[in-house]
């Protein structure tokens, strides 16, 4: 069931982005940035957590989940350390993705040449 | 002097008005197959989501790790595939075909970082790779953090616990 939900949720998010891309003059950069903001906004009401519970892995992949992890880690640390925790915990949950992306792109950049 | 000339009369010879130009431009505009694009984005995005959930379930099935660490490993695997694909060159072709289906998932984030780094590799390790690796992904991180900080402060000051 989670598999089907993942397919539908991830597909719908991508479809919305494609429809915005085709019907407005916004670039993919605008869309990904605003989707991150949207994800952070949804999680400030704990809505995205509920989506992850229903959908599973499919909700972790779209870029909206990046905004959700940022605010989620920040608020988790804020519960522990007070207002400074918002700054302490900002990268807690996204660290995996960002670190992996930096390391892999750096290694592959050193190894491979540009194709163009 | 040249300005006067241009203002005084149309030196190109034709009297193209704005309306006329728009008419001609519209005629030659490339029509985007919007419905087809939307369906392709839905299917390709869906396959990525399915792959993610599938990897999590397989990891949980064959190893005894928690679902949380399985999700982290899944994200690392997906980023690895996207980065390697971009470095080898075939991921760019897939992105032009599937567009938002691959740009909105975390694959788009990894793709933008690797392609920016590889494109500027010639300019050296500092002003090439270092300065440009976050060229496209930087905006996602910037606006994500600013938004998360603002919403987080509001939520914290309102006394909400997550």
């Amino acid at each position: 069931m989670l598999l089907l939900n993942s397919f539908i949720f991830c597909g719908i998010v991508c479809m919305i982005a494609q429809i915005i891309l085709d019907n407005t003059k916004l670039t993919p950069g605008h869309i990904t940035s605003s989707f991150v903001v949207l994800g952070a906004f949804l999680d400030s009401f704990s809505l995205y957590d509920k989506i992850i519970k229903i959908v599973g892995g499919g909700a972790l992949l779209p870029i909206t989940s990046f905004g959700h992890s940022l605010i989620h880690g920040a608020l988790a640390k804020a519960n522990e350390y007070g207002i400074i925790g918002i700054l302490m915990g900002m990268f807690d949950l996204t660290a995996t993705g960002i670190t992996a992306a930096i390391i892999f792109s750096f290694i592959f950049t050193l190894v491979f040449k540009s194709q163009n | 002097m040249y300005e006067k000339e241009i203002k005084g009369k149309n030196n190109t010879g034709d009297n193209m008005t704005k309306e006329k130009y728009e008419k001609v431009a519209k005629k030659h505009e490339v029509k985007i197959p919007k419905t087809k694009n939307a369906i392709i984005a839905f299917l390709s995005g869906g396959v990525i989501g399915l792959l993610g959930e599938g990897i999590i379930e397989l990891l949980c099935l064959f190893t005894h790790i928690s679902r949380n660490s399985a999700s982290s490993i899944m994200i690392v695997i997906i980023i690895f595939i996207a980065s390697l694909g971009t470095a080898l060159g075939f991921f760019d072709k897939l992105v032009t075909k599937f567009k938002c289906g691959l740009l909105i998932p975390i694959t788009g984030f990894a793709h933008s970082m690797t392609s920016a780094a590889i494109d500027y590799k010639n300019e050296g390790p500092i002003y090439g790779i270092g300065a440009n690796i976050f060229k496209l992904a930087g905006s996602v991180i910037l606006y994500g953090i600013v938004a998360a900080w603002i919403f987080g402060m509001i939520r914290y000051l309102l006394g909400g616990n997550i």
Side-chain angles (χ1 to χ4, degrees):
Chain A
M1 198 57 210
L2 280 177
L3 285 169
L4 183 69
N5 286 348
S6 289
F7 183 84
I8 292 170
F9 181 81
C10 204
I12 284 176
V13 173
C14 295
M15 190 172 74
I16 293 170
Q18 185 67 50
I19 290 170
I20 297 172
L21 183 71
D22 282 349
N23 289 299
T24 60
K25 281 179 182 165
L26 298 175
T27 61
H30 287 98
I31 296 169
T32 42
S33 300
S34 45
F35 269 44
V36 171
V37 176
L38 183 74
F41 178 72
L42 285 178
D43 202 60
S44 42
F45 305 108
S46 302
L47 268 175
Y48 209 85
D49 284 327
K50 282 170 196 151
I51 297 176
I52 287 180
K53 258 185 203 146
I54 303 167
V55 175
L60 296 171
L61 280 168
I63 201 80
T64 40
S65 127
F66 183 71
H68 146 260
S69 327
L70 285 173
I71 194 170
H72 201 91
L75 285 173
K77 268 270 159 56
N79 282 338
E80 226 175 299
Y81 296 98
I83 202 154
I84 194 71
I86 293 184
L87 304 180
M88 288 162 75
M90 189 65 88
F91 279 110
D92 268 11
L93 299 170
T94 42
T96 329
I98 295 181
T99 315
I102 290 175
I103 290 173
F104 290 144
S105 22
F106 184 67
I107 293 172
F108 293 141
T109 303
L110 293 183
V111 174
F112 295 101
K113 275 183 188 164
S114 175
Q115 300 291 319
N116 314 319
Chain B
M1 190 186 147
Y2 281 110
E3 251 174 57
K4 248 185 195 171
E5 218 168 75
I6 291 166
K7 262 184 196 168
K9 60 175 181 183
N10 202 336
N11 56 350
T12 48
D14 56 357
N15 43 4
M16 184 86 110
T17 56
K18 207 178 173 192
E19 292 86 42
K20 212 173 174 184
Y21 169 76
E22 272 167 13
K23 235 182 192 173
V24 175
K26 215 170 191 184
K27 211 171 156 187
H28 293 279
E29 205 173 54
V30 181
K31 274 197 178 150
I32 312 167
K34 289 175 183 169
T35 329
K36 194 184 150 202
N37 276 352
I39 293 169
I40 287 175
F42 176 75
L43 292 177
S44 51
V47 167
I48 299 273
L50 191 73
L51 197 70
E53 177 61 23
I55 292 174
I56 292 180
E57 289 193 1
L58 283 177
L59 282 171
C60 285
L61 199 68
F62 290 113
T63 56
H64 299 286
I65 49 174
S66 68
R67 206 183 146 84
N68 268 346
S69 24
S71 327
S72 294
I73 295 172
M74 177 272 286
I75 285 178
V76 173
I77 293 173
I78 300 274
I79 287 175
F80 179 83
I81 296 171
S83 259
L84 184 65
T86 309
L88 291 173
F90 68 85
F91 204 80
D92 286 315
K93 284 168 201 152
L94 291 180
V95 167
T96 47
K97 222 182 222 172
F98 298 122
K99 293 189 192 82
C100 278
L102 291 178
L103 287 173
I104 294 300
I106 197 88
T107 46
F109 185 78
H111 166 72
S112 68
M113 281 182 68
T114 313
S115 61
I118 282 202
D119 282 349
Y120 289 93
K121 190 185 175 187
N122 297 339
E123 291 174 24
I126 306 295
Y127 293 106
I129 300 173
N132 289 299
I133 193 163
F134 281 114
K135 206 173 189 189
L136 300 160
S139 77
V140 169
I141 296 179
L142 167 67
Y143 292 110
I145 286 178
V146 172
W149 180 73
I150 292 171
F151 294 138
M153 288 297 268
I154 293 170
R155 178 77 198 259
Y156 182 77
L157 295 174
L158 290 177
N161 290 338
I162 278 195

